[in-house]
């Protein structure tokens, strides 16, 4: 992949109150591409799910750090990375199955399914005891005047 046209990274505590911050942060950065409201909502929802997974599953018994990175490439391609250094996932394929959760009965087990439905591509890398990285990509519609140029 080519060098991004613009990028940003922010790190925050794995507290549930910061999920909204992460959504707004990613949406504000991507707003420079003039996305449609649907595209913006898709990105915000995917970020919300990835950050919530990191909070609930990555750090179930402690507060750790979550890193959110957003990169913008040519032709309105957006790449979002949500990374934690928490407990990790022992079986990624199982974790990506709809309705599977390790978060108790109050969790729906639909996080990865939701991310996949709103993004063009979702990749997950994880090591037990070392953390998880969720990389999501979406090509936004090129609108007059935006065109992925920053």
């Amino acid at each position: 992949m080519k060098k991004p046209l613009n990028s940003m990274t922010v790190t925050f505590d794995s507290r549930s109150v910061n999920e909204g911050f992460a959504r707004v942060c990613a949406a504000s950065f991507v707003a420079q591409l003039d996305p449609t409201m649907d595209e913006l909502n898709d990105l915000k929802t995917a970020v919300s799910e990835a950050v919530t997974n990191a909070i609930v599953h990555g750090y179930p018994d402690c507060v750790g750090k979550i890193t959110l990175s957003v990169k913008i490439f040519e032709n309105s391609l957006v790449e979002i990375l949500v990374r934690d250094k928490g407990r990790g996932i022992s079986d990624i394929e199982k974790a990506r199955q709809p309705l599977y959760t390790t978060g108790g009965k109050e969790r729906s087990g639909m996080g990865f399914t939701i991310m996949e439905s709103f993004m063009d591509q979702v990749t997950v890398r994880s090591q037990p005891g070392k953390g998880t990285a969720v990389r999501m990509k979406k090509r936004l519609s090129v609108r007059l005047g935006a065109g992925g140029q920053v």
Side-chain angles (χ1 to χ4, degrees):
M1 187 175 286
K2 294 183 178 183
K3 184 177 176 186
L5 299 172
N6 200 4
S7 64
M8 73 92 189
T9 300
V10 62
T11 301
F12 50 91
D13 287 345
S14 63
R15 299 181 188 280
S16 59
V17 296
N18 288 334
E19 175 269 330
F21 165 74
R23 286 170 54 99
V24 170
C25 193
S28 296
F29 187 75
V30 172
Q32 63 193 281
L33 295 177
D34 193 25
T36 66
M37 287 305 294
D38 285 342
E39 289 170 333
L40 206 52
N41 286 331
D42 290 354
L43 290 171
K44 287 168 42 178
T45 299
V47 167
S48 177
E49 292 297 329
V51 169
T52 298
N53 275 358
I55 293 167
V56 171
H57 303 290
Y59 301 108
D61 303 320
C62 64
V63 174
K65 296 292 183 187
I66 297 172
T67 301
L68 167 70
S69 298
V70 182
K71 295 178 180 178
I72 294 172
F73 295 89
E74 289 181 356
N75 299 314
S76 297
L77 177 64
V78 176
E79 179 185 88
I80 298 170
L81 176 66
V82 176
R83 190 181 37 175
D84 68 69
K85 295 186 185 227
R87 119 176 137 179
I89 303 170
S90 59
D91 187 340
I92 294 172
E93 290 308 311
K94 189 173 187 180
R96 289 181 83 152
Q97 295 301 311
L99 306 178
Y100 177 80
T101 185
T102 61
K105 56 186 162 192
E106 71 277 358
R107 311 305 317 172
S108 71
M110 295 298 289
F112 286 123
T113 302
I114 291 168
M115 286 180 245
E116 290 166 351
S117 69
F118 287 115
M119 302 299 283
D120 297 333
Q121 181 183 359
V122 177
T123 56
V124 182
R125 295 187 194 262
S126 188
Q127 283 189 300
K130 297 198 179 205
T132 301
V134 177
R135 185 178 311 274
M136 303 176 284
K137 295 179 183 177
K138 185 173 185 78
R139 187 169 309 280
L140 305 181
S141 56
V142 177
R143 295 175 22 142
L144 191 61
Q149 303 306 310
V150 201

